[in-house]
Amino acid sequence: MAGGVKKPVNIFRLKNLGEPDGVFNWRLWFAVVSFGLLGAARGIDEGLITGAFNSDDFKKVIGYNHLDDVGKANIKANVSSMVQLGSVGGAMMAFLVCDRIGRIQATRFLCTLWIVGIIIFMIGGVYGNLGAIYAGRFIAGLGVGQTPVVGPVYIAEIAPASIRGVCTCFFTGAVYLGIVLAFFTNYGAARNIAASSHNQWLVPTSLHIIMAGLIFILMFFQLESPRFLVKQGKPDEAAQVLAHIRHQAPDSDYIVAETSMIQAALDHEMEATRGVGFFGMVKEMFLDRSNLYRVYLATMVQLLSQWSGAGSITLYAVDLFKLVGITGKEEGLLVTAVFGIVKMVAALSCALFLVDVIGRKLSLLLGITLQSISMIYVASFLTSVPSLGVVKGYKVPDNDLASSRGAIAMIYLSGVGWALGWNSMQYLLTAELFPLRIRALATSWAMTLHFANQYGNSRALPNMLLSVANGGISPKGTFWCFAAITIIGGLWVFLSVPETSGRSLESMDRLFDLPWYKIGLYGNRDAELQDAAYNEKEQAAHETHGMGQHVETAGEHVETKPRTIDV
């Protein structure tokens, strides 16, 4: 339980990980799936809003077609990014909700906000009320913004350390599940519902309500996080929940040891901070050297990942595929839907075969490498055909069609890289880095930055793609910018990010004991030395305790024997 030595994980041979029989049972997977589905909230929104702007009816009711290029870019950016803006507020409130009412009730609360916001958006869209459209998407964002705090935190807190990466990455996989469902719903609606009907965008939008309602219902079948219960002073209830999820007896050595480790870690944190309240947690986050480095990691992960551009490529996929040569409304939606499938397969492959096998850091570097290659290619292609996306009505020349197909393939590759790298790790690392006492607050901080940067990037992209004459940096400049940030991100990961795979949440502190400039390259080596010392000390204490019991028992036996003879 020390959480030190990492074992490569074969998802098909979990019994070889040394955990007791029954630990990897349906209750664990059901809990992971129930909370992992929260990831679909973001994916559904990113996929569906593209379809709304592909609907002639939606564009007609909001007066989109009467605007000039700059006006169209602004209204598309405002409507598309309003959920991200609301999500900033949602992520900020998430830690309060999560820590006050628990992970289960927090999920029900966010689902309610999500549903109410979407209903307001749908009503506003039917009546052409742009204010209601903005308000509805903002309110929905307040709910969606809580999902990457509540979901990954709960999953990280219930998953065994050996497969925590696999479990938490299901949240990322659900993001792409949402994208795929949204893209194909858009495609089906475009093919089978009249373009002049409200239903062409209302029917796909109802997918929000279906998913939020499903998650709300699933919460009635789940139990509260055992780590949250320990924090609330309910260790006995925590042990019962942990025993239920692990399918072990509450008084088994395995459950007693894990519960004791959670309690000991919390006691240590409380003693170090003297049990102070909110401002004490803020002080602990920013003034404790170890925690400050973790805040630095979480902050940079969100900044570099969001401005690498891959997230906004999903949001504006139809427009970007059109930019590099895909023509036709239905063709664009179909290519975009396939793009979603590619990203979902990549995310699931990362979860099952990479993140707990080769580790978080190598998975992240692999994804960034693929993303860098693809961004450089697309930027080079757009540089070679500078009129694309700048001159209205300009199409790819016949002699550049092969390069155009290559650019389409590279956008797919960028999605694979994003799914393997930044998008999986931005949730996983944030959820597992921080101590229990400040985990919800720190995750809320990271997700606030996540959505603030996502809002900035998604709001900026339509304007960035405009020509220089219209105030943009042109399509080629946009992709060169993304390529440069992606490369910088790869260098930063290599130098600054330690490997967290296979380590228990309570032993994570050992990674951050070195000076800050050594943690990324040497933190794991130092932590493993501490693990070895800890295990030796624990073994020695166990042997000493065992010998003491043996001597005491022997003494009692020797004392009893003469008394028997005397009688």
Side-chain angles (χ1 to χ4, degrees):
M1 300 294 293
V5 180
K6 174 193 177 303
K7 295 181 179 180
V9 175
N10 182 339
I11 191 67
F12 301 108
R13 295 187 178 181
L14 294 178
K15 63 182 181 180
N16 296 339
L17 294 177
E19 302 283 2
D21 290 340
V23 167
F24 305 114
N25 63 85
W26 70 269
R27 294 168 183 168
L28 171 66
W29 301 121
F30 183 42
V32 169
V33 169
S34 298
F35 277 85
L37 282 175
L38 286 169
R42 222 190 80 211
I44 288 173
D45 183 68
E46 290 178 1
L48 288 182
I49 197 60
T50 300
F53 274 100
N54 207 50
S55 166
D56 293 338
D57 177 75
F58 183 77
K59 289 189 287 188
K60 178 182 176 182
V61 295
I62 65 173
Y64 182 82
N65 294 325
H66 301 297
L67 302 171
D68 59 16
D69 288 346
V70 175
K72 287 180 179 178
N74 283 328
I75 197 169
K76 179 177 282 190
N78 287 333
V79 173
S80 298
S81 63
M82 196 54 63
V83 164
Q84 281 73 39
L85 185 60
S87 295
V88 174
M92 291 175 70
M93 74 165 72
F95 102 90
L96 287 172
V97 177
C98 220
D99 269 359
R100 291 291 176 88
I101 65 176
R103 285 47 163 158
I104 301 287
Q105 294 290 2
T107 305
R108 292 175 183 147
F109 174 64
L110 73 85
C111 286
T112 302
L113 285 175
W114 183 8
I115 291 171
V116 169
I118 292 302
I119 291 174
I120 294 173
F121 164 71
M122 293 168 77
I123 294 172
V126 168
Y127 289 99
N129 188 322
L130 202 56
I133 290 172
Y134 287 150
R137 286 185 58 75
F138 182 86
I139 293 170
L142 291 175
V144 172
Q146 296 177 58
T147 60
V149 178
V150 180
V153 164
Y154 182 90
I155 294 170
E157 289 183 342
I158 64 159
S162 56
I163 60 165
R164 190 173 59 246
V166 171
C167 294
T168 307
C169 279
F170 185 82
F171 179 90
T172 309
V175 173
Y176 298 116
L177 174 64
I179 289 173
V180 169
L181 290 174
F183 283 165
F184 274 101
T185 304
N186 282 335
Y187 178 64
R191 283 185 60 89
N192 298 292
I193 300 177
S196 59
S197 171
H198 292 323
N199 290 332
Q200 193 182 68
W201 62 273
L202 283 177
V203 170
T205 302
S206 67
L207 186 60
H208 278 288
I209 298 173
I210 294 170
M211 184 60 71
L214 173 63
I215 295 170
F216 188 94
I217 293 170
L218 285 173
M219 289 305 103
F220 290 100
F221 300 94
Q222 299 304 323
L223 300 175
E224 188 53 79
S225 161
R227 284 174 167 84
F228 173 77
L229 292 172
V230 168
K231 189 176 179 182
Q232 295 299 110
K234 302 175 181 178
D236 293 338
E237 189 177 343
Q240 292 290 337
V241 171
L242 198 59
H244 175 82
I245 294 172
R246 299 283 190 270
H247 202 61
Q248 305 289 310
D251 58 351
S252 66
D253 291 343
Y254 183 83
I255 297 299
V256 170
E258 187 166 356
T259 308
S260 299
M261 180 179 290
I262 297 169
Q263 184 67 62
L266 179 63
D267 291 343
H268 175 73
E269 294 168 29
M270 296 296 288
E271 182 180 352
T273 56
R274 296 183 176 86
V276 292
F278 171 75
F279 291 105
M281 288 191 285
V282 174
K283 180 180 178 182
E284 186 179 350
M285 269 182 64
F286 292 100
L287 297 185
D288 180 88
R289 182 175 64 87
S290 171
N291 288 337
L292 181 60
Y293 192 87
R294 294 180 237 203
V295 171
Y296 158 71
L297 287 180
T299 301
M300 291 300 292
V301 162
Q302 299 305 332
L303 183 66
L304 292 170
S305 64
Q306 290 306 315
W307 286 96
S308 69
S312 54
I313 287 176
T314 303
L315 193 61
Y316 299 107
V318 172
D319 299 312
L320 293 173
F321 279 119
K322 183 178 179 181
L323 177 68
V324 296
I326 294 295
T327 57
K329 182 185 296 186
E330 289 188 10
E331 290 81 356
L333 288 172
L334 180 59
V335 169
T336 303
V338 175
F339 180 52
I341 291 178
V342 169
K343 294 177 79 171
M344 183 175 71
V345 171
L348 293 176
S349 299
C350 178
L352 296 177
F353 306 114
L354 288 179
V355 71
D356 274 325
V357 179
I358 66 173
R360 279 65 156 154
K361 188 168 184 174
L362 283 177
S363 296
L364 183 51
L365 288 172
L366 174 62
I368 289 173
T369 300
L370 295 177
Q371 198 177 331
S372 299
I373 292 169
S374 61
M375 290 295 181
I376 290 171
Y377 182 94
V378 175
S380 301
F381 167 70
L382 292 171
T383 301
S384 69
V385 192
S387 296
L388 271 178
V390 175
V391 178
K392 184 172 288 188
Y394 185 86
K395 294 184 178 180
V396 179
D398 291 342
N399 60 327
D400 288 314
L401 283 177
S403 299
S404 169
R405 297 297 179 263
I408 294 168
M410 285 298 160
I411 291 179
Y412 280 115
L413 185 64
S414 76
V416 172
W418 171 249
L420 294 179
W422 281 126
N423 200 47
S424 296
M425 299 307 142
Q426 64 181 335
Y427 302 116
L428 175 55
L429 288 174
T430 299
E432 67 184 4
L433 280 176
F434 294 95
L436 173 60
R437 181 174 143 72
I438 63 168
R439 186 172 299 142
L441 174 61
T443 306
S444 183
W445 161 271
M447 290 302 110
T448 299
L449 292 174
H450 169 86
F451 285 113
N453 283 285
Q454 189 180 50
Y455 168 75
N457 187 255
S458 59
R459 175 63 185 82
L461 185 63
N463 296 85
M464 291 171 68
L465 291 170
L466 293 172
S467 64
V468 175
N470 285 325
I473 61 174
S474 76
K476 65 177 181 181
T478 300
F479 276 88
W480 280 121
C481 176
F482 290 158
I485 293 173
T486 305
I487 293 169
I488 291 170
L491 293 173
W492 175 81
V493 168
F494 177 75
L495 294 173
S496 301
V497 178
E499 179 57 64
T500 60
S501 177
R503 184 166 294 281
S504 73
L505 296 179
E506 285 67 40
S507 72
M508 207 65 71
D509 284 350
R510 298 171 196 164
L511 289 170
F512 303 98
D513 284 344
L514 291 176
W516 67 269
Y517 53 88
K518 292 184 178 181
I519 291 174
L521 296 176
Y522 306 109
N524 290 93
R525 187 188 308 169
D526 182 67
E528 287 171 4
L529 292 174
Q530 292 187 59
D531 292 335
Y534 176 90
N535 291 335
E536 288 177 9
K537 183 177 178 181
E538 192 177 51
Q539 185 176 358
H542 179 73
E543 290 174 354
T544 303
H545 180 64
M547 289 178 64
Q549 284 185 328
H550 176 72
V551 170
E552 184 179 348
T553 305
E556 288 175 358
H557 178 71
V558 169
E559 281 182 9
T560 340
K561 191 172 181 179
R563 282 198 295 269
T564 306
I565 294 173
D566 289 341
V567 170

